[in-house]
Amino acid sequence: DELMEKIEARAYEEVDKRRKDLDEGKKLEIARKVGIGALRYDMVKVSPDKHIVFDFKDALDIEKKGAPFIQYSHARACSILRAAEEKGYAVSEDYDASLLKESSEKELIKKLSKFGYVIEAASSELKPHLVAKYARELAESFNLFYKDCQVLNAEDELRKARIVLVDCAKIVLSNVLN
């Protein structure tokens, strides 16, 4: 409980620093989710046969590619989809995946396709750190895709395919975070 209180307090400092526009209740809610995620991720990312060394700063650093980095990637995907919906670009069942030809698009698709395998391997081998590693790699792939590829400003058919790709990434990121 004491560790959770400390990590939530540190997470709150980060949220307050980055999001002055939010009300106090929302900041506390985000800090709790980020704190719990950071602690859980840092515990599970290490192979069960190794010792855990918990470092607050590393656990909460969004650039260090821990839980907050993965959570932020999910939030970014949600934000893109919200913006798409506001512009009238809903996730479509009518899209052409063959338009996704950029290397970062292909890498993201490959990473998404490994989800079932990673879950199966982690459960059959009793190695939950495989899911944590996959989650970080998926977040990295998604962020590279987002950096390299326009989603909302792409031409119509390409935009449809990229919105579907963002939706797929959001779903899998949510699943690995759960």
Side-chain angles (χ1 to χ4, degrees):
D1 289 342
E2 185 179 331
L3 179 58
M4 271 311 306
E5 287 174 18
K6 286 180 180 178
I7 198 164
E8 281 182 40
R10 295 265 179 105
Y12 178 84
E13 290 171 12
E14 288 298 315
V15 172
D16 187 50
K17 187 174 21 173
R18 295 171 191 267
R19 295 298 308 266
K20 298 277 186 200
D21 60 312
L22 296 176
D23 66 66
E24 209 56 29
K26 189 67 175 171
K27 287 180 192 177
L28 289 168
E29 177 188 344
I30 291 170
R32 177 157 179 74
K33 288 178 180 177
V34 169
I36 289 170
L39 181 59
R40 290 179 70 199
Y41 181 83
D42 259 42
M43 291 174 70
V44 78
K45 76 177 184 181
V46 179
S47 177
D49 58 342
K50 295 183 180 174
H51 293 293
I52 298 171
V53 177
F54 185 79
D55 181 305
F56 283 106
K57 188 174 180 177
D58 284 347
L60 292 171
D61 189 342
I62 199 162
E63 278 81 41
K64 291 283 185 186
K65 300 183 172 117
F69 173 73
I70 300 162
Q71 291 167 320
Y72 180 75
S73 299
H74 177 264
R76 175 176 272 169
C78 290
S79 178
I80 294 167
L81 293 171
R82 235 183 345 269
E85 193 172 304
E86 287 169 5
K87 291 184 173 202
Y89 310 144
V91 176
S92 173
E93 290 183 22
D94 178 29
Y95 65 94
D96 183 358
S98 70
L99 296 173
L100 302 172
K101 297 177 181 174
E102 297 293 326
S103 62
S104 60
E105 292 168 326
K106 291 177 185 178
E107 285 305 310
L108 179 55
I109 292 166
K110 287 177 189 176
K111 188 59 67 178
L112 289 166
S113 73
K114 294 178 181 177
F115 176 64
Y117 169 77
V118 170
I119 296 300
E120 177 63 33
S123 63
S124 67
E125 298 172 27
L126 301 176
K127 294 181 176 180
H129 69 283
L130 297 175
V131 177
K133 179 182 180 216
Y134 172 78
R136 180 186 43 76
E137 291 172 353
L138 176 59
E140 288 172 351
S141 291
F142 176 73
N143 284 301
L144 182 61
F145 155 74
Y146 178 73
K147 183 180 143 248
D148 289 349
C149 301
Q150 289 284 321
V151 176
L152 300 179
N153 294 328
E155 65 91 3
D156 288 346
E157 292 304 310
L158 182 57
R159 181 181 59 240
K160 283 182 191 178
R162 286 182 176 167
I163 287 172
V164 170
L165 185 55
V166 170
D167 190 47
C168 291
K170 179 198 78 141
I171 291 166
V172 177
L173 283 164
S174 177
N175 286 336
V176 294
L177 286 167
N178 282 332

